[in-house]
């Protein structure tokens, strides 16, 4: 524990020296969340990145999140403390694959979940996150949508709109591990509990939930006075924040299998190393950045 305290002191003093801000996603290890300046979902963290005055952003999350920060803040240094922290879902689509599918669906507007490479955002009309996907789709003039890359989020959106939604076959392996039976068993054990799930879950799981929310939405929901026990259907890292912010309430992870291994790659040691060496830096090439930024900006105008 003493080692951690020393490590944390070093991180915080180097952070001041570098004029850096530490952003952490809700799935990060508890000790990373605890040293961060801001903890949030993908949308909240892109908004934090867009408005920060710090010169350096230490992004404790995965590659697509650091890329989004780089897209929005080209003059800042964006560090991802472990460059292997990718997103399996984002790796299920390429710009070339998307261009091919667009040729097959010339009338469809392309809505791209932020969990995607910058090159794919650059090929899209607008981005969305789990917090605003329905709103973004509804805001478009087009009646036909090509939704990439998450088929389950896209399916969820299709149940909330009359637009025709074409899906891409991507998914999140961590959320796909959550089974309907995990929920039905826990509901029997905790009959008073509310069930919240992330829209990256399978439709059969979503059908059993009381609320379908982004991770930021789950944190706000948990603060409500009428909510005291929650079965939480998303990556287990969020349980740390929920318990910390809501002492006395009960949070039950729906499945211990719902772990995103790349989210756990970032450690206090890698954050310190990253701040010391100012690497690995994530920088999106300017031609891609400008086109990707148009899609991200369109989203930020809508929310
Ligand atoms: P949120 O934007 O809801 O935090 O989701 C990000 C993510 O990667 C979920 O797997
Ligand atoms: Fe990607 Fe799934 Fe991990 Fe989120 S939880 S970063 S979608 S692999």
């Amino acid at each position: 524990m003493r080692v951690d305290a020393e490590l944390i002191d070093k991180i915080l003093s180097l952070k001041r020296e570098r004029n850096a801000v530490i952003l952490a996603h809700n799935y990060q290890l508890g000790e990373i969340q605890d040293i961060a300046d801001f903890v949030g979902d993908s949308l909240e963290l892109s908004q934090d990145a867009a408005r920060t005055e710090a010169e350096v952003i230490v992004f404790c999350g995965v590659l697509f999140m650091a890329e989004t920060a780089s897209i929005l803040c080209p003059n800042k240094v964006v560090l991802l403390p472990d460059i292997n922290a990718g997103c399996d879902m984002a790796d299920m689509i390429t710009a070339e694959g998307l261009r091919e599918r667009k040729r097959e669906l010339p009338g469809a507007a392309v809505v791209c979940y932020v969990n995607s490479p910058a090159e794919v955002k650059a090929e899209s009309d607008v981005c969305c996150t789990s917090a605003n996907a329905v709103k973004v789709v509804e805001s478009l003039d087009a009646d036909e949508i090509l939704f990439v890359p998450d088929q389950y989020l896209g399916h969820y959106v299709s149940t909330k709109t009359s637009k025709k939604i074409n899906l891409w076959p991507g998914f999140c392996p961590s959320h796909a591990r959550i089974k309907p039976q995990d929920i039905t068993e826990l509901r029997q054990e905790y009959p008073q509990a509310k069930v919240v799930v992330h829209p990256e879950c399978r439709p059969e799981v979503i059908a059993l939930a009381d609320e379908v929310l982004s991770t930021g939405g789950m944190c706000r929901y948990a603060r409500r006075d009428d909510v005291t026990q929650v079965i939480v259907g998303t990556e287990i890292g969020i349980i740390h924040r929920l318990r910390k912010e809501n002492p006395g309430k009960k949070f039950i992870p729906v499945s211990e299998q719902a772990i995103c291994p790349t989210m756990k790659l970032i450690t206090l040691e890698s954050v310190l190393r990253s701040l010391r060496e100012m690497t690995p830096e994530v920088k999106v090439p300017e031609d891609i950045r400008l086109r990707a930024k148009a899609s991200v900006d369109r989203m930020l105008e809508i929310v």
Side-chain angles (χ1 to χ4, degrees):
M1 282 302 100
R2 214 182 111 57
V3 176
D4 274 7
E6 274 172 28
L7 250 179
I8 291 166
D9 280 351
K10 283 183 189 159
I11 291 171
L12 297 182
S13 78
L14 202 48
K15 186 186 80 158
R16 277 189 297 275
E17 220 174 280
R18 301 275 194 223
N19 188 15
V21 67
I22 300 180
L23 306 184
H25 187 264
N26 289 319
Y27 296 160
Q28 287 288 292
L29 294 171
E31 57 263 38
I32 299 292
Q33 296 189 28
D34 292 346
I35 57 150
D37 296 290
F38 299 101
V39 183
D41 67 17
S42 311
L43 177 63
E44 292 160 345
L45 294 177
S46 6
Q47 289 167 325
D48 290 331
R51 69 171 84 97
T52 183
E53 283 176 7
E55 289 166 78
V56 177
I57 298 173
V58 182
F59 215 117
C60 301
V62 292
L63 180 62
F64 76 81
M65 297 178 180
E67 280 186 344
T68 305
S70 164
I71 288 165
L72 291 169
C73 316
N75 299 322
K76 297 187 194 301
V77 175
V78 180
L79 301 172
L80 179 63
D82 190 319
I83 203 61
N84 296 312
C87 164
D88 284 347
M89 181 199 293
D91 292 343
M92 292 180 190
I93 187 164
T94 61
E96 182 46 37
L98 175 55
R99 279 194 289 271
E100 225 169 87
R101 189 76 181 110
K102 277 164 67 174
R103 283 194 285 273
E104 293 164 4
L105 296 167
V110 181
V111 179
C112 172
Y113 188 28
V114 285
N115 300 34
S116 54
E119 294 87 336
V120 168
K121 292 182 176 73
E123 285 293 333
S124 304
D125 293 302
V126 61
C127 285
C128 74
T129 72
S130 61
N132 58 29
V134 175
K135 202 170 169 187
V136 166
V137 165
E138 282 292 280
S139 76
L140 300 174
D141 289 335
D143 288 326
E144 185 171 3
I145 307 293
L146 170 56
F147 192 96
V148 301
D150 186 3
Q151 61 179 306
Y152 297 139
L153 176 60
H155 178 273
Y156 173 67
V157 171
S158 78
T159 66
K160 302 280 167 196
T161 177
S162 58
K163 293 179 195 270
K164 179 171 170 20
I165 311 283
N166 298 279
L167 301 174
W168 185 273
F171 65 96
C172 165
S174 310
H175 284 85
R177 270 180 231 124
I178 300 173
K179 302 281 178 305
Q181 188 184 335
D182 297 327
I183 294 189
T184 44
E185 285 173 9
L186 285 171
R187 268 214 198 266
Q188 276 185 345
E189 204 177 326
Y190 302 96
Q192 308 298 328
K194 295 287 185 196
V195 175
V196 299
V197 305
H198 196 274
E200 286 177 18
C201 291
R202 296 171 183 274
E204 315 85 89
V205 168
I206 288 180
L208 297 172
D210 295 308
E211 303 284 340
V212 182
L213 297 167
S214 72
T215 62
M218 289 181 189
C219 293
R220 284 188 292 281
Y221 179 79
R223 284 184 216 124
R224 276 171 40 171
D225 290 339
D226 58 332
V227 172
T228 52
Q229 267 190 36
V230 189
I231 295 167
V232 184
T234 193
E235 210 273 350
I236 56 169
I238 196 173
I239 300 289
H240 173 82
R241 177 168 174 195
L242 291 171
R243 288 184 180 151
K244 186 173 162 183
E245 290 183 352
N246 303 279
K249 296 192 181 186
K250 191 166 182 65
F251 299 98
I252 308 122
V254 104
S255 165
E256 298 290 342
Q257 308 291 311
I259 298 183
C260 176
T262 51
M263 279 279 180
K264 310 301 179 213
L265 287 177
I266 294 178
T267 58
L268 290 174
E269 287 80 4
S270 63
V271 171
L272 179 61
R273 195 181 326 117
S274 190
L275 270 168
R276 232 182 224 153
E277 298 170 7
M278 294 295 278
T279 177
E281 185 178 358
V282 173
K283 196 149 186 67
V284 176
E286 192 61 6
D287 53 331
I288 295 169
R289 187 188 79 79
L290 288 173
R291 290 189 296 132
K293 185 170 186 296
S295 299
V296 176
D297 281 348
R298 245 170 254 138
M299 167 183 83
L300 293 174
E301 278 159 25
I302 294 163
V303 295

